[in-house]
Amino acid sequence: MSKVAIPMLSAYGAQIPVIGFGTSQLGDCGEIVATALKLGYRHIDTAWKYGTEKGVGEGMKASGVPRQDIFLVTKVSHEYLRAADFANSVEESLERLQTDVVDLLLIHWPNPRVPVAESVRALGRAKQLGLTRHIGVSVISTADAREHALNLGALTFVAKPIQNADTVQVLQLLACLHALGNGLHLVARRHFNHRGDDLLAAGIVGGARYEA
């Protein structure tokens, strides 16, 4: 079984494979994730909303790949951004993933009914407790990214779905992150069969890319 060779990105002390394996819409994906890891993938993306955390946990265990060699990402859904709900969601995710810590924990879309300050404090608390090594937010707009970053200086990653975004939108988001001046990294999330390769090939969008 041939393994893929995936370049690495260094950011905030993390070594992140620049191409990840997304699990959206994969359902019971334990065998699929195990196969992906055996093929050489080391960046696995999941989320509560995907319903694949249990399968990812099973796949990591079945693959035989040491947990420390995997960059694991999950997300807290917008339904659970109140502080108490957030903490419970993280604990449940870790249990399903069969791990004590994830490498990157994201807010999965802002919730207009929950104050940003409350949700980002809960995110920061998860990092303080050692439940995640890095934190960030999956955003829809540049304004969302700015508001979340200003509320939590420790925010390190902003994930942006770009399959439906044009070059101007992505450039506006990058300009916003640069203006904030705190070294935020953009993770470009997209399907490989969608447009957006021009952004990645030109180096406009850095970081990892994966189906999500």
Side-chain angles (χ1 to χ4, degrees):
M1 187 179 292
S2 299
K3 292 186 177 181
V4 294
I6 298 176
M8 306 292 285
L9 170 72
S10 296
Y12 295 99
Q15 292 294 314
I16 309 171
V18 299
I19 298 176
F21 188 83
T23 60
S24 174
Q25 302 179 29
L26 291 187
D28 184 7
C29 61
E31 185 176 349
I32 297 171
V33 170
T35 299
L37 288 167
K38 290 174 182 177
L39 286 171
Y41 284 96
R42 292 295 182 268
H43 181 163
I44 304 296
D45 177 83
T46 184
W48 177 90
K49 189 176 287 293
Y50 299 165
T52 56
E53 289 176 326
K54 185 174 183 291
V56 168
E58 293 171 349
M60 290 192 299
K61 185 175 182 179
S63 73
V65 175
R67 171 65 185 89
Q68 63 267 24
D69 293 346
I70 301 170
F71 191 85
L72 178 62
V73 183
T74 195
K75 311 174 191 73
V76 176
S77 187
H78 66 279
E79 296 99 320
Y80 303 111
L81 297 188
R82 292 287 183 187
D85 295 334
F86 195 104
N88 290 335
S89 180
V90 173
E91 292 289 351
E92 291 172 2
S93 289
L94 293 175
E95 182 177 350
R96 286 189 290 267
L97 290 165
Q98 302 183 48
T99 188
D100 295 326
V101 60
V102 295
D103 297 284
L104 176 58
L105 181 67
L106 298 172
I107 289 174
H108 204 176
W109 307 340
N111 185 338
R113 292 176 293 181
V114 179
V116 169
E118 180 177 354
S119 57
V120 295
R121 277 198 301 268
L123 184 65
R125 179 65 174 161
K127 184 177 181 182
Q128 290 172 352
L129 292 174
L131 305 179
T132 180
R133 296 186 175 94
H134 304 281
I135 54 178
V137 59
S138 179
V139 300
I140 302 301
S141 69
T142 298
D144 289 334
R146 180 185 295 110
E147 186 174 8
H148 282 74
L150 289 175
N151 274 273
L152 183 63
L155 196 73
T156 51
F157 292 92
V158 172
K160 170 69 175 177
I162 66 167
Q163 60 263 30
N164 297 315
D166 61 25
T167 305
V168 172
Q169 290 174 320
V170 175
L171 287 175
Q172 287 174 340
L173 178 56
L174 285 169
C176 167
L177 301 183
H178 179 74
L180 290 169
N182 54 0
L184 284 164
H185 282 256
L186 175 65
V187 179
R189 302 190 295 108
R190 60 178 294 278
H191 295 271
F192 284 114
N193 62 340
H194 280 277
R195 63 192 179 93
D197 285 319
D198 54 332
L199 301 174
L200 291 151
I204 294 174
V205 178
R209 58 174 178 165
Y210 44 81
E211 175 194 359

